[in-house]
Amino acid sequence: MNTQHVQLVDAEPAFRVRARYTDATVTVYQAYPPLIGRAAARTGRFPSAWKRDRMTWIKPSFLWMMYRCGWGTKEDQETVLAVEISRDGFEWALRHACLSHYAPALHADRAAWKAELARCPARVQWDPERDLRLAPLPYRSLQLGLAGEAAARYADEWIVGIEDVTPLAAEIHGLVRAGEPERARRLLPRERPYPVADEVLAHLRA
């Protein structure tokens, strides 16, 4: 079993989008204070307290979200949301995104990168994927930052549904702490390699 796991990890490419998705939608995760998170889950839309003028980061990886929000225990991240959005919207954001950091292999110079950063309404950051104990894995997980037009489209056009998955996060965390990783793993959302065209990610992998 351990050998198979290592082989799967070794075979995983460093940069690949993995997500829970259907033919029409993809699920991303965010964490908010209860005032925002519970209202969003109740109505299927973000409330007026949600700031449209701030960049909002969405994450297709459930376990990376757990790492970021501490299983829903960090201050102002107590409500974990699974936000189902259209695949068309998600891919629009990728096509209109730039890297959040300067990459010599992709940018002529820092000035060119900064100009791209100012022009693009979305940005991509790749961070180490996490295992059940939130330890880093040797391949990366996508974070997608949305601002300006991208944030407006996200809030007003792309959202299909919003679910409060805080209880799920607490249940999985409890099983991990109790030393029952297999039971915890069975509860994880099923994330698969997301079928996005290579040219969509070509300018975002570095």
Side-chain angles (χ1 to χ4, degrees):
M1 179 68 71
N2 289 340
T3 300
Q4 292 177 350
H5 177 70
V6 170
Q7 288 173 344
L8 287 173
V9 169
D10 288 345
E12 185 70 25
F15 301 99
R16 180 160 70 179
V17 180
R18 292 167 300 276
R20 177 185 175 189
Y21 63 89
T22 69
D23 289 344
T25 66
V26 58
T27 298
V28 296
Y29 299 94
Q30 296 192 284
Y32 287 102
L35 176 68
I36 293 176
R38 290 176 183 170
R42 186 170 58 252
T43 64
R45 286 291 181 269
F46 288 110
S48 58
W50 189 78
K51 302 299 183 184
R52 290 171 173 269
D53 58 347
R54 295 177 58 184
M55 178 162 289
T56 188
W57 289 89
I58 59 177
K59 305 157 184 72
S61 167
F62 179 83
L63 284 175
W64 204 95
M65 185 71 258
M66 295 306 100
Y67 167 73
R68 181 68 180 83
C69 71
W71 298 100
T73 64
K74 291 184 180 179
E75 186 177 2
D76 291 335
Q77 297 187 65
E78 300 93 342
T79 305
V80 184
L81 301 178
V83 185
E84 192 176 13
I85 65 174
S86 71
R87 285 176 58 167
D88 286 346
F90 182 67
E91 293 177 25
W92 183 95
L94 291 176
R95 290 181 185 278
H96 291 81
C98 67
L99 279 177
S100 63
H101 66 277
Y102 168 63
L106 294 177
H107 306 114
D109 51 38
R110 288 187 177 275
W113 165 67
K114 288 182 179 179
E116 189 177 23
L117 202 65
R119 182 178 69 253
C120 293
R123 59 192 61 174
V124 159
Q125 184 169 310
W126 298 93
D127 294 287
E129 180 60 284
R130 301 286 158 166
D131 65 15
L132 267 174
R133 295 195 176 278
L134 307 185
L137 292 170
Y139 52 89
R140 302 265 165 175
S141 178
L142 176 86
Q143 283 195 79
L144 186 55
L146 309 174
E149 181 184 0
R153 285 173 178 256
Y154 172 62
D156 299 331
E157 301 174 15
W158 301 346
I159 293 175
V160 175
I162 302 177
E163 180 185 1
D164 183 348
V165 292
T166 312
L168 176 64
E171 184 178 4
I172 295 174
H173 188 206
L175 289 170
V176 172
R177 294 179 66 185
E180 299 189 60
E182 291 307 316
R183 288 183 63 194
R185 192 170 287 111
R186 286 196 292 270
L187 294 178
L188 289 172
R190 183 170 175 250
E191 294 168 4
R192 300 171 287 152
Y194 184 82
V196 61
D198 187 67
E199 64 267 19
V200 176
L201 294 181
H203 67 297
L204 299 171
R205 290 186 296 224

